[in-house]
Amino acid sequence: MRALLVLSGGAALGLSHLGVYRALAELGVEVAGVVGVSAGAITGALIAAGFPPAEVERFHRRYRWINLVRPELTSRLGALSYARMEAELERTCQVERIEQLSLPLVVCCTDVSTAQPVALSSGPLGRAVRASCSVPGLFSPVEFEGRFLVDGGIHSNLPLWATDQVEKDFDLIVASDPISRLRLPRRPRRYREVLQISFILVLKSTTEKVLPPRDPRVVLIQPEMEWVRPVDLGAIDRLMELGYQEAQRVLLPLLGGTVPPVERNPDRVIRRGP
């Protein structure tokens, strides 16, 4: 069974993708290509480089995005820069260009000048992922082949539209979306929380406009979860477990299995692989 993996954005919420990837590996589903946006582009690049679930998790535990952010010193178009993330991702993946990866990868961005989506399947890997993660207003747009690109989630946070950019046949298109069923807090307590909720509302709106999927091969993995701040990188274990459990619940019946009884404890740490 071969699958194309589509990974949404969502900042820290995108850590749930790691659990989905772990579940696919345990179920014997081969990931043969990845489409990613923003947080999903980071994880997607690591998967496309051939790293198993444990190594992808190790990268996220080691670097945590906050450690990859630096003040923007060369542009007036944003306060922060992901230049370090660009360098570290290429160093970890040991390639400089998207087309050098082991698996096909499509990185989705938004052209800030035209408001149109952009799908990148070739070119500098780190720069493409950096552009896909650059939330406008906070991060400077990234110049890429004459275009100024920002976070792809601004246009489409679940980039199912870009699956036709991968020139391979797949049995399944597994779309990991931790945004749609995220419960928002009833009452924000700080102005930062208002900003975070507003960010999630934008992502919800750009996710819902692509649903329901028309391709019968599409399988949606949408874990239901209580409010998690999109900057809460400390929630990695809980988010991974939620993605894992939901992927198991959805995929097992499709693959002819049955869902085993599982203690639904999202705080349980996944430690199943080497």
Side-chain angles (χ1 to χ4, degrees), residues 63-70 82 84 231 233:
Y63 288 107
R64 298 202 175 190
W65 303 330
I66 195 67
N67 299 325
L68 300 176
V69 174
R70 291 292 182 269
Y82 265 133
R84 186 184 178 196
V231 295
L233 301 174

Side-chain angles (χ1 to χ4, degrees), residues 94-109:
Q94 298 184 335
V95 301
E96 295 182 353
R97 299 184 63 83
I98 297 173
E99 58 267 34
Q100 295 172 335
L101 291 164
S102 301
L103 300 176
L105 172 69
V106 178
V107 178
C108 298
C109 309

